[in-house]
Amino acid sequence: MFTKNVILLGVFASTSLINAASASTEITGNIESKCVITTDATGVYGNPTTDVLSTLPTDGGVSPLIRFDILEGAAYKGVVSYPMQFTTSPVLNDVVNWTGAAELVEMSSAEMSAFETSKVQYENVTEFDLTIAGSAWFKVTSNAKYGYGKSFPGGTYSATIETECIAK
Amino acid sequence: MAASYSCYSYSDTVYGNTTNKSDVGYNWVMRNILPQQLGLEVTSILYRYTTVKKTEDDMVVYVQNEDNAGDGYIFREKDDWSGKAGNTINKIVPIPNVLIDRWGDGSIVVEGTGTVENARVIYNYKFDPCFDPQTSPDCLGYIQPMPDIYEVDLQFLADESSLVDGFMDNSFEETEDKEQSEADRKKTMRKKVRKSRLELALSINANALVMQSNAVNTHAELMALSIIPQSYMSSIDGGYYEESMTLNGGKLPSNKRAKRVGLAQQLLHKQLVDSQYNK
């Protein structure tokens, strides 16, 4: 019993001598984004014809609504991408032609109206310059057309809209 | 306008909100929107509307409430859409707990070129149902109200004095000595009136007792004279008493004497009646 204790002390002394030679101190930090994205309404695809899936209300769909809460103006860029592929679907043997759009539909300040007028669009991406603090609601539409007048096979279809707050 | 109310129990703060429908126009009467609850405070306002305008046009929209305590506004939010594309605004404005008394009529006013559509203004409020503890016996600090106590009109005492005054006051040109003597006389007269009323009140009761004792004595004297039959004082047993008389032979002959008397009386009556008409 006694011997075991001695051995343990010897190991401790040896370790202390090693630490005295070099030391490293950790610094941690956390940044909470000043831009928060919330889905206010999820989308639903309507099926007006056998070859079309659409979120437009006129096609029987529901357009998703995404809210950006911007706590600090001119610090972020909002990026909204409408889908270009299904995340789940039956096996498809033909191409799907995707279209869509993102637009500012509501805002907490009239100044934010500039988000819509100054937006930049390329491919399936829409960028908004979030210059004003406040809340902004973006509506995204998505339309999928199968082949050339070809009917979608029966099954469940789902797609995802990607949204980001990118720090400037 | 329609309002939704939350359920609550007494002493809990009640939170609620109103719904302002745009079909009533862009002017609204707060009395019809907020529940008329004592101590109610508006905590925030949420409004939403869509502007229809050309980007280059100047347009300013005010969402506002008049201040009942003055000429200004208790709440006025300005949205400047000048040079901006029309869109939908959805804004929440915190209010530093302003009591219901201050909230005057509300409106949405547009200055410049453009219109407002689909407007909606929601008032979030809170109130303590026991703001006035007397609202309910369940409230802390409730005091059981005292019953109404009717006031007794003591004016008749003054009237009595005035009657005496009026009776005694027969001259307006009295000297101070005379006034003093008159005052003494009035005082004496009042005493006499009070004394006579007191004597009268006492005599009514005393006389009643005297009358009662006199009646008892008289009754005893009459009974002592034995002129009142004892049957006056005895009681007859109740029950059914059968007829004890019988008619001999079973035939009752007519009383000719009585008939004659009756006819004579009838004749005399007729003569008396005719004499009034000189027949």
Side-chain angles (χ1 to χ4, degrees):
Chain A
M1 190 70 171
F2 178 76
T3 309
K4 197 178 210 176
N5 286 339
V6 172
I7 292 167
L8 281 173
L9 283 170
V11 171
F12 177 75
S14 172
T15 307
S16 299
L17 287 171
I18 293 166
N19 285 344
S22 64
S24 61
T25 305
E26 189 180 13
I27 299 175
T28 59
N30 182 42
I31 296 177
E32 288 188 9
S33 176
K34 298 290 189 296
C35 177
V36 180
I37 301 170
T38 308
T39 301
D40 274 9
T42 54
V44 177
Y45 276 121
N47 189 206
T49 56
T50 56
D51 62 332
V52 171
L53 288 171
S54 170
T55 59
L56 288 174
T58 51
D59 293 334
V62 176
S63 298
L65 195 64
I66 298 155
R67 188 181 79 231
F68 280 65
D69 293 320
I70 307 141
L71 307 181
E72 188 178 321
Y76 295 93
K77 184 170 65 175
V79 179
V80 182
S81 305
Y82 61 81
M84 292 295 285
Q85 62 181 17
F86 290 115
T87 49
T88 58
S89 70
V91 176
L92 301 174
N93 299 319
D94 206 337
V95 293
V96 179
N97 298 304
W98 293 89
T99 55
E103 62 172 329
L104 177 71
V105 290
E106 283 185 38
M107 64 209 78
S108 62
S109 167
E111 304 292 324
M112 290 180 168
S113 177
F115 292 2
E116 179 67 16
T117 52
S118 63
K119 70 182 180 184
V120 177
Q121 292 176 282
Y122 54 92
E123 299 177 345
N124 66 323
V125 179
T126 307
E127 287 186 3
F128 298 92
D129 193 2
L130 308 177
T131 53
I132 310 292
S135 295
W137 287 260
F138 297 93
K139 186 172 76 177
V140 182
T141 56
S142 173
N143 184 292
K145 188 172 171 58
Y146 189 43
Y148 182 78
K150 201 170 181 179
S151 298
F152 275 115
T156 302
Y157 293 79
S158 62
T160 303
I161 297 163
E162 291 181 3
T163 52
E164 288 180 275
C165 281
I166 298 174
K168 286 183 177 177
Chain B
M1 301 286 177
S4 61
Y5 300 91
S6 306
C7 294
Y8 62 89
S9 60
Y10 277 96
S11 79
D12 291 339
T13 301
V14 178
Y15 294 90
N17 58 63
T18 64
T19 303
N20 180 7
K21 294 179 180 175
S22 59
D23 54 2
V24 297
Y26 296 143
N27 294 280
W28 54 93
V29 179
M30 288 304 287
R31 200 183 319 109
N32 300 336
I33 296 175
L34 289 173
Q36 297 302 296
Q37 184 73 34
L38 199 65
L40 183 143
E41 294 176 346
V42 174
T43 54
S44 62
I45 297 175
L46 192 150
Y47 69 82
R48 183 176 185 271
Y49 65 83
T50 302
T51 52
V52 179
K53 66 183 289 287
K54 293 177 181 174
T55 304
E56 62 271 21
D57 288 339
D58 290 337
M59 180 187 186
V60 177
V61 179
Y62 295 97
V63 181
Q64 58 196 23
N65 276 89
E66 294 171 7
D67 187 352
N68 281 336
D71 296 332
Y73 297 93
I74 191 69
F75 165 74
R76 195 176 208 213
E77 194 70 13
K78 175 186 175 183
D79 299 317
D80 190 354
W81 293 89
S82 301
K84 301 180 182 71
N87 211 313
T88 300
I89 194 165
N90 192 341
K91 187 186 276 189
I92 185 162
V93 183
I95 305 292
N97 298 354
V98 179
L99 278 171
I100 188 173
D101 305 340
R102 297 283 300 275
W103 289 92
D105 294 345
S107 60
I108 294 177
V109 177
V110 177
E111 289 180 359
T113 307
T115 56
V116 167
E117 292 180 349
N118 302 323
R120 189 178 66 167
V121 181
I122 294 172
Y123 295 85
N124 296 316
Y125 60 81
K126 68 174 183 179
F127 65 85
D128 180 2
C130 289
F131 182 80
D132 177 8
Q134 295 303 104
T135 307
S136 167
D138 297 332
C139 292
L140 190 67
Y142 175 83
I143 300 169
Q144 189 70 32
M146 293 289 290
D148 293 335
I149 299 172
Y150 296 102
E151 291 185 1
V152 178
D153 186 8
L154 300 175
Q155 186 60 35
F156 72 93
L157 292 174
D159 294 344
E160 183 182 285
S161 301
S162 64
L163 281 172
V164 176
D165 290 345
F167 179 72
M168 299 302 295
D169 188 14
N170 53 7
S171 175
F172 293 102
E173 298 176 352
E174 299 286 339
T175 60
E176 287 185 2
D177 293 339
K178 285 184 178 179
E179 285 176 357
Q180 182 61 41
S181 64
E182 280 297 317
D184 293 341
R185 287 175 60 191
K186 286 177 187 175
K187 192 174 179 181
T188 308
M189 182 64 78
R190 284 192 203 104
K191 281 184 179 178
K192 284 182 179 176
V193 168
R194 287 182 189 136
K195 188 178 179 183
S196 65
R197 287 184 177 178
L198 183 61
E199 286 174 350
L200 178 62
L202 292 171
S203 67
I204 289 170
N205 194 19
N207 288 343
L209 293 172
V210 170
M211 286 170 72
Q212 189 180 4
S213 62
N214 287 343
V216 171
N217 292 336
T218 305
H219 176 262
E221 288 171 1
L222 285 171
M223 294 304 292
L225 291 172
S226 303
I227 58 174
I228 297 176
Q230 288 296 321
S231 59
Y232 280 19
M233 305 301 158
S234 60
S235 58
I236 301 172
D237 295 335
Y240 178 73
Y241 292 86
E242 296 218 0
E243 180 60 59
S244 58
M245 291 178 67
T246 56
L247 188 63
N248 292 330
K251 186 178 179 183
L252 185 65
S254 59
N255 190 346
K256 291 179 180 177
R257 185 181 295 170
K259 198 171 184 179
R260 275 201 300 275
V261 172
L263 288 171
Q265 286 179 343
Q266 176 64 26
L267 183 63
L268 182 60
H269 173 73
K270 195 170 183 299
Q271 286 175 352
L272 283 169
V273 172
D274 290 345
S275 68
Q276 296 179 76
Y277 303 100
N278 297 322
K279 288 185 178 178

